[in-house]
C-alpha cells in the first residue's frame, strides 16, 4: 500500500471517529436512517443507527455519561460479482460509551470519551480482530449564548485516538462555529462544515459538505485471486442541503440530502491493502433522523 493511500485512508477513518466521539458527548438520544442507491448499479447502501446516552450529574456542571450506539449496515449487493457476497450483507458496529464532561473554568469545558467498539459481520464467535478502541479529549469554549457578543461563537479543540486508523498516537482536532448575524452562521471543521440559514426559531436550512463511512472485520474470510479478504471499508464524501426542525431547544428532527463526490466501497486484506473495489460510482445521498442533544 502506498504511503499516500495509507494517509488518506487513515485520515478518513480518523475524522469519522471524531464525529462519533464528540456526538456521544453531546447527543443523548439519536435515531437515524441513511440511504445511498448506487447509480448505474443494482447495489445499494442502507444504515440504521440508534444511540442512547444517560448523563449522571456527579456535581454541579459535571456529568458522567454512560451509553451505547448500534449501527446496522445493510449492503444490497445485487451486481454479478466473481465471488459470494452473502457474508457482506449485514455489518454490525456496536460502540460502548463512557464519557465525562466538566467545567474547567468560566470559559472552558472539558470533555473526555472512551469508546470500545465491535465492528464485524458477526457471522461467527467474536475474536480479537473484531474489537477496536477509540477515544478523545476535547476543550470546548462555548459562547453561543453570550448576549454581550455581536457574533457569538464556539471553539472546540481536541485530541482523539482511533484504533482503526493504524496510527499509534492521538491526532489533533479543531472545529469553529460562529454566528454571522441573526440569520446566518457557519461551522468550519471536519468531518462536517456547513453554512446555515435560520428561518425562524423552529426552522433552518443549510448547505454542507461532510464525510461518512466505516471499517469492519469480515469473519468469513475468502480469497479473491491470490489475496484473502479480511476487512471491508466504505468512505463517502458528500455535499448537499439540509433541513432541521427544532421541536424544542434540545429535540431536533433533520433531513440531509445531496450527492456524493467521492464514494469508495472496498474489500481489504489483513494489512488493509485494497483487494477488490465493490463500487466507486457517485450517487444520491439521504440521511434523516431525530436527536435529543445537550
Amino acid at each position: 500500500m502506498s504511503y499516500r493511500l495509507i494517509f488518506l485512508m487513515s485520515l478518513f477513518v480518523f475524522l469519522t471517529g471524531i464525529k462519533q466521539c464528540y456526538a456521544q458527548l453531546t447527543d443523548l438520544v439519536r435515531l437515524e436512517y441513511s440511504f445511498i442507491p448506487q447509480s448505474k448499479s443494482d447495489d445499494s447502501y442502507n444504515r440504521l443507527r440508534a444511540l442512547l446516552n444517560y448523563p449522571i450529574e456527579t456535581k454541579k456542571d459535571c456529568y458522567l455519561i454512560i451509553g451505547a450506539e448500534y449501527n446496522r449496515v445493510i449492503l444490497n449487493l445485487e451486481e454479478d460479482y466473481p465471488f459470494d457476497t452473502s457474508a457482506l450483507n449485514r455489518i454490525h458496529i456496536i460502540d460502548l460509551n463512557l464519557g465525562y464532561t466538566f467545567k474547567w473554568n468560566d470559559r472552558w469545558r472539558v470533555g473526555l470519551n472512551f469508546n470500545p467498539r465491535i465492528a464485524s459481520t458477526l457471522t461467527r464467535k467474536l475474536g480479537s480482530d473484531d474489537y477496536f478502541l477509540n477515544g478523545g479529549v476535547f476543550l470546548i469554549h462555548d459562547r453561543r449564548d453570550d448576549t454581550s457578543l455581536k457574533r457569538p461563537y464556539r471553539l472546540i479543540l481536541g485530541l482523539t485516538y482511533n484504533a482503526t486508523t493504524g496510527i499509534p498516537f492521538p491526532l489533533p482536532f479543531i472545529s469553529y462555529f460562529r454566528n454571522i448575524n441573526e440569520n446566518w452562521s457557519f461551522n468550519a471543521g471536519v468531518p462536517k462544515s456547513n453554512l446555515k440559514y435560520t428561518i425562524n426559531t423552529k426552522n433552518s436550512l443549510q448547505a454542507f459538505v461532510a464525510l461518512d463511512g466505516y471499517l469492519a472485520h469480515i469473519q468469513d474470510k475468502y480469497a479473491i485471486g491470490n489475496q484473502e479478504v479480511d476487512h471491508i471499508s466504505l468512505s463517502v464524501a458528500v455535499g448537499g442541503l439540509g433541513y432541521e426542525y427544532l421541536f424544542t431547544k434540545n429535540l431536533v428532527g433533520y433531513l440531509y440530502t445531496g450527492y456524493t463526490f467521492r464514494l469508495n466501497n472496498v474489500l481489504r486484506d489483513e494489512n488493509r491493502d485494497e483487494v477488490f473495489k465493490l463500487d466507486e460510482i457517485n450517487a444520491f445521498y439521504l440521511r434523516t433522523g431525530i436527536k435529543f442533544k445537550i
Side-chain angles (χ1 to χ4, degrees), residues 78-113:
E78 303 295 339
E79 290 292 300
D80 186 19
Y81 291 104
F83 52 87
D84 183 14
T85 62
S86 60
L88 307 175
N89 289 341
R90 300 290 184 271
I91 297 166
H92 307 269
I93 301 172
I94 304 167
D95 289 298
L96 297 178
N97 180 46
L98 181 63
Y100 187 67
T101 179
F102 62 92
K103 292 200 75 172
W104 187 14
N105 53 41
D106 290 340
R107 293 181 179 269
W108 289 93
R109 173 174 288 275
V110 176
L112 306 169
N113 178 265

Side-chain angles (χ1 to χ4, degrees), residues 1-9:
M1 186 188 297
S2 70
Y3 288 112
R4 181 174 179 269
L5 185 56
I6 291 172
F7 173 77
L8 290 175
M9 180 183 169

